Amino acid sequence: MDSLPIIDLRPLRDGADPLAVADTLDAACTDLGFFVVTGHGLASELRAAMMEQARRFFALPADEKMQIWIGKSSCHSGYVPPKAETLNAALGADSKEALDITIDRGPDHPDVMAGTPLHGPAQWPDSLMPEFKGVAEEYSNACLDINAHLMRGLALALGLEADTFEPVFTDPIASLRMLHYPPAPAGDLTPAAGAHTDYGSLTLLAQDDIGGLQVAARGGGWIDVVTPPDALIVNLGDMIARWTNHRYVSTRHRVLNPVGAHRYSIPYFVAPDFHAVIEAIPTCVEPGAEPIYPPIEAGEYMLSRFDATHDYLKDKQDS
């Protein structure tokens, strides 16, 4: 395989032929866990507006971006400066910078009142970019709608009722992330984001036309990811691999340094509700066999992965 499969979600979204889409999803998730979707329902104008907001934010001076540094957040929301995240320890810290916007939960939210980790107010660049919040919330809602359709498709692919996953995505652990990769010198082929797998259930990625995303091929080497205009890249995270007892795969991917250009991308990360129990789906366990993993709460699993990646969380553990 030298490219990712392209899947049209319209027959799933409109109900015309959901089982056909489910079969295609099943093949993609079993083989590589990466695919490209069209017919997803995310308006091209909204995508362009979100990308423009990302460019504007990252063009701000460093001291202004640090006003919403992620280390100030109680729920992993805010600005992540360069060299503050390590996806591949062998390569050292990544050169990219990021802005993470989690679901904005107020002080009267039950999980906020209970002190549940990863729940709290998002950090917004309101004083710098007053229009940012409206665009980001509209974009996030569109991504959550796409995630709901995809999870229905995966339920059908796994021989389950279409609405099987709905009860564990009522208040998901979800995050809109904007990424900026600064230009690199000519000939620099080192990764700006080291090879890694994602943590949660699904990632929905919008990227610009600079390129650089590579997915590890099953037979070795790397697949350069190129997409049609307005298409989204979808990949499975480790939680889906765990949930499906490794019937579905979570595959390593990386981003090469962009040479002579700025690269921007917008992944939207989704995982189930914090207290949702992730345990092997019965249709993914052979009769008489034991699941590979014991049950675990989604939130507990996500916290363990964040702690291993972000420097500000490591510093809190050491203090």
Side-chain angles (χ1 to χ4, degrees):
M1 180 184 292
D2 57 5
S3 62
L4 302 185
I6 299 176
I7 301 175
D8 184 355
L9 294 185
R10 281 172 293 189
L12 174 64
R13 291 178 61 86
D14 61 22
D17 196 357
L19 290 178
V21 178
D23 288 343
T24 309
L25 287 171
D26 187 64
C29 294
T30 304
D31 181 55
L32 199 62
F34 261 88
F35 49 94
V36 175
V37 294
T38 60
H40 43 65
L42 175 65
S44 59
E45 297 82 3
L46 178 56
R47 174 186 176 133
M50 192 70 261
M51 195 69 75
E52 178 59 24
Q53 291 297 313
R55 293 189 182 96
R56 289 184 58 195
F57 176 80
F58 290 121
L60 294 171
D63 60 338
E64 294 186 4
K65 289 181 285 190
M66 287 297 288
Q67 291 178 18
I68 55 169
W69 175 53
I70 197 169
K72 299 178 180 179
S73 172
S74 62
C75 59
H76 199 70
S77 177
Y79 174 62
V80 182
K83 301 293 185 180
E85 183 179 5
T86 306
L87 292 173
N88 188 321
L91 297 174
D94 295 348
S95 60
K96 67 183 189 299
E97 58 180 337
L99 175 61
D100 289 309
I101 301 293
T102 54
I103 292 179
D104 199 357
R105 298 176 175 94
D108 57 347
H109 187 286
D111 277 313
V112 177
M113 295 175 67
T116 305
L118 303 178
H119 290 67
Q123 291 200 95
W124 300 98
D126 288 336
S127 62
L128 307 172
M129 299 170 60
E131 72 283 8
F132 181 97
K133 183 177 181 179
V135 177
E137 288 188 329
E138 185 179 358
Y139 188 93
S140 296
N141 288 335
C143 287
L144 286 173
D145 179 68
I146 297 168
N147 178 77
H149 285 290
L150 284 167
M151 292 307 298
R152 282 194 284 274
L154 292 185
L156 292 171
L158 294 167
L160 307 171
E161 295 296 324
D163 61 356
T164 296
F165 295 115
E166 288 183 13
V168 295
F169 283 93
T170 61
D171 190 12
I173 304 170
S175 179
L176 171 64
R177 170 166 255 214
M178 283 141 278
L179 292 166
H180 170 227
Y181 300 85
D188 186 348
L189 298 179
T190 58
H196 64 285
T197 55
D198 289 349
Y199 315 147
S201 47
L202 296 182
T203 301
L204 315 176
L205 174 68
Q207 63 174 4
D208 60 17
D209 57 2
I210 298 301
L213 175 62
Q214 295 184 320
V215 176
R218 277 205 168 191
W222 296 91
I223 300 168
D224 291 306
V225 178
V226 179
T227 59
D230 293 329
L232 292 174
I233 301 158
V234 179
N235 67 279
L236 310 185
D238 295 339
M239 193 175 292
I240 286 282
R242 184 181 184 119
W243 220 345
T244 61
N245 210 42
H246 284 199
R247 170 174 169 174
Y248 290 167
V249 296
S250 176
T251 298
R252 291 184 310 125
H253 50 286
R254 66 183 185 182
V255 178
L256 298 182
N257 271 313
V259 174
H262 293 266
R263 181 184 190 273
Y264 300 90
S265 66
I266 306 174
Y268 193 85
F269 299 106
V270 190
D273 303 353
F274 190 94
H275 297 294
V277 177
I278 305 303
E279 56 185 330
I281 295 167
T283 58
C284 298
V285 182
E286 294 291 332
E290 290 293 322
I292 298 171
Y293 302 103
I296 189 172
E297 278 195 349
E300 179 186 352
Y301 180 76
M302 294 297 289
L303 285 170
S304 70
R305 300 298 299 273
F306 284 143
D307 287 346
T309 302
H310 288 269
D311 287 355
Y312 87 95
L313 292 173
K314 296 174 189 175
D315 291 342
K316 287 182 179 180
Q317 292 171 355
D318 294 339
S319 61

